[in-house]
Amino acid sequence: MNKKPTIIHWFRRDLRVSDNPALKFAAEWGKVVPIFILDDTNSKEHAIGQAGRVWLFHSLQQLDKQLGGTLRCFKGNPEDILMLLFNKEKATGITWNHAYEPWQIKRDKQIETNLTKTGAKVKSFNGSLLWEPSNDLKPDGSPYRVFTPYYRKGCLNAHPPRLPEQLISISFLPKTELIKNSVDTLRLLSGKRWEKEIVENWSIGEKGAKKQLDNFLQQGILDYKEGRNFPLKNNVSMLSPFIHWGEISVNEVWYTANELLKTQPTLQNNIDGFLSQLAWREFSYHLLYHFPELPSTNLQARFDYFPWEVNHKALRAWQRGKTGVPMVDAGMRQLRKTGYMHNRLRMIVGSFLVKNLRIHWHFGQAWFWETLFDADLANNSAGWQWVAGCGVDAAPYFRIFNPVLQGLKFDPSGNFIRKFIPELRNMPNKYIFQPWEAPRAVLEAAEVQLGHNYPSPLVNIKDSRQQALAAFSSIKSVNTVKSGTIFP
């Protein structure tokens, strides 16, 4: 009887068992050695942020349980670790699912080349995107720069996404040195109280991801198209951290939503709206692949000359949710408390930072990277370039979100603000969005002391808008869009 070969499966952002193409291939190939490598060596400035490390810790714990305690965790340079394991375990092959950040692409190509030279058989798969960014090009071979044609022509008119695949059975090589290779050895947590509090409202892991999808498709999808704009309504999927860490495949989400449409055709508009949001994630990866400078460089060259302000005090106030503008502060405090921020709030707080405060979008990008559970290089970079107006398919710079009007429209009860800013819980609706306009008697009755228990606004909304537009006028004559370069 032939002995099954030993196959190393390298988990990355595919922390699940279901619909995991590389793990499925490894399981059918031989006995599996499941590993995770925390790569702080090659990631450099793109090393996982604080909130991401908290989520990752809990996710790896859940994955290890699913794998019967066989997951081996390492920290260091993946090439060195894989070479060592390949020889130590006398393995035949190594599997992994593709990663799409530029530094990961470069690293993986080098690892594959060097492993192959030693006789290792390397198999890699797309386990995290609906469409491969190297294939979704315009007919002339150039990358799309605008979302709608990208989605309608480049995606929906292309081949359909891969169907989800279920793992039938898996045979693991027994794990040794349990303590040495445990999740704890990665030192992902610092022991701060914040790390315990921030995960309280989440069920991290593959089981939690599937439950979240089921709940959303049973309830949240019913009024998704309109309800998703209101931060207090339960119409957003809350799936972004689960998808980012690969606890559920985007293919499973896509096809599960489409199956629901077959039985409930009246949900067409809501499901189409949800699927288009999944496609926005794809578009971000498309941009990152074809414009690898996306995280650091304005894609519209004119913004290289924009007169940004340097104001560390204002930046700190924004980060802490103490700008004195309630809708902005509520969003920033939601982020700090939950590791998540509603999409409408992301646009509001982003616009306030880069337009009302005129602080460079890099600072907002960096803060989101550290504090979001779903911090994702492609989405984070594309999102900030969009809101700053400097991306290839960006909101026009003159689209400046008025946080007072946004609050009136999308938090009409004021209860989202009250939930995250208890200092304002007694403010009447008439003034809760702009407490600086409230008469002294109203402030006293609400026990609000501006400048003491709640800050006075950092800037005048109207005046700062005009200053931002004047700053933009100074760069209008500069060339608009930089040329794209396909990552080698």
Side-chain angles (χ1 to χ4, degrees), residues 166-297:
Q166 298 306 314
L167 183 65
I168 298 175
S169 64
I170 185 168
S171 175
F172 296 107
L173 196 71
K175 178 179 175 181
T176 56
E177 301 177 82
L178 295 176
I179 297 176
K180 183 178 179 181
N181 296 127
S182 71
V183 177
D184 291 328
T185 59
L186 299 180
R187 300 182 181 276
L188 291 166
L189 301 182
S190 63
K192 296 179 181 177
R193 180 181 175 184
W194 162 79
E195 294 174 335
K196 294 181 179 179
E197 294 176 343
I198 200 172
V199 299
E200 288 179 353
N201 296 318
W202 297 90
S203 179
I204 299 173
E206 183 172 359
K207 184 178 179 180
K210 289 180 180 293
K211 183 178 180 181
Q212 185 64 38
L213 176 61
D214 289 343
N215 290 342
F216 169 64
L217 293 179
Q218 289 173 15
Q219 302 173 21
I221 196 67
L222 301 180
D223 186 33
Y224 178 81
K225 191 83 172 185
E226 293 300 323
R228 64 180 295 270
N229 287 303
F230 295 81
L232 266 186
K233 291 187 176 182
N234 295 320
N235 292 112
V236 291
S237 73
M238 302 291 287
L239 284 168
S240 56
F242 299 102
I243 293 175
H244 170 70
W245 291 106
E247 294 168 338
I248 191 168
S249 82
V250 69
N251 298 69
E252 183 172 346
V253 175
W254 177 272
Y255 280 104
T256 305
N258 274 291
E259 284 299 312
L260 178 63
L261 182 58
K262 292 178 182 178
T263 59
Q264 298 191 46
T266 57
L267 293 176
Q268 178 84 55
N269 288 337
N270 289 308
I271 291 177
D272 283 350
F274 174 60
L275 295 179
S276 73
Q277 291 303 306
L278 296 180
W280 268 105
R281 174 178 179 269
E282 299 287 315
F283 185 54
S284 296
Y285 275 92
H286 167 88
L287 292 177
L288 181 62
Y289 185 85
H290 296 291
F291 301 90
E293 69 274 22
L294 179 72
S296 58
T297 305

Side-chain angles (χ1 to χ4, degrees), residues 89-101:
E89 301 294 349
K90 296 181 174 56
T92 298
I94 299 174
T95 64
W96 65 66
N97 288 308
H98 298 161
Y100 293 94
E101 296 178 13

Side-chain angles (χ1 to χ4, degrees), residues 299-409:
L299 295 188
Q300 292 193 36
R302 68 176 66 160
F303 281 87
D304 293 350
Y305 303 93
F306 189 87
W308 299 106
E309 294 284 335
V310 177
N311 189 331
H312 297 296
K313 183 178 180 180
L315 174 63
R316 181 62 177 157
W318 177 83
Q319 292 171 337
R320 297 170 66 196
K322 294 187 176 183
T323 67
V325 181
M327 203 62 180
V328 173
D329 292 343
M332 297 304 295
R333 295 190 194 187
Q334 180 191 34
L335 172 61
R336 183 66 179 176
K337 186 176 178 63
T338 69
Y340 175 86
M341 190 190 297
H342 187 276
N343 187 61
R344 172 62 54 175
L345 271 299
R346 297 189 196 204
M347 294 187 286
I348 294 170
V349 305
S351 177
F352 186 81
L353 181 73
V354 300
K355 294 173 181 177
N356 296 97
L357 298 181
R358 296 218 330 266
I359 293 175
H360 201 295
W361 61 270
H362 283 171
F363 291 95
Q365 176 195 39
W367 187 250
F368 274 21
W369 184 259
E370 288 296 326
T371 55
L372 275 172
F373 278 147
D374 60 21
D376 180 289
L377 189 62
N379 290 328
N380 195 35
S381 303
W384 277 99
Q385 292 234 30
W386 182 89
V387 79
C390 57
V392 292
D393 184 19
Y397 185 82
F398 51 80
R399 184 183 183 187
I400 301 175
F401 287 81
N402 184 314
V404 174
L405 298 180
Q406 290 286 309
L408 285 164
K409 186 174 182 180

Side-chain angles (χ1 to χ4, degrees), residues 414-459:
N415 287 337
F416 179 78
I417 289 174
R418 292 186 181 92
K419 180 177 180 179
F420 290 101
I421 310 179
E423 307 96 291
L424 301 180
R425 61 186 176 276
N426 297 323
M427 282 292 290
N429 273 13
K430 182 177 180 180
Y431 296 108
I432 195 168
F433 305 104
Q434 45 188 348
W436 57 89
E437 296 285 351
R440 179 180 296 179
V442 172
L443 291 172
E444 289 177 353
E447 300 179 319
V448 174
Q449 294 178 291
L450 294 182
H452 294 279
N453 65 348
Y454 186 69
S456 299
L458 287 177
V459 291

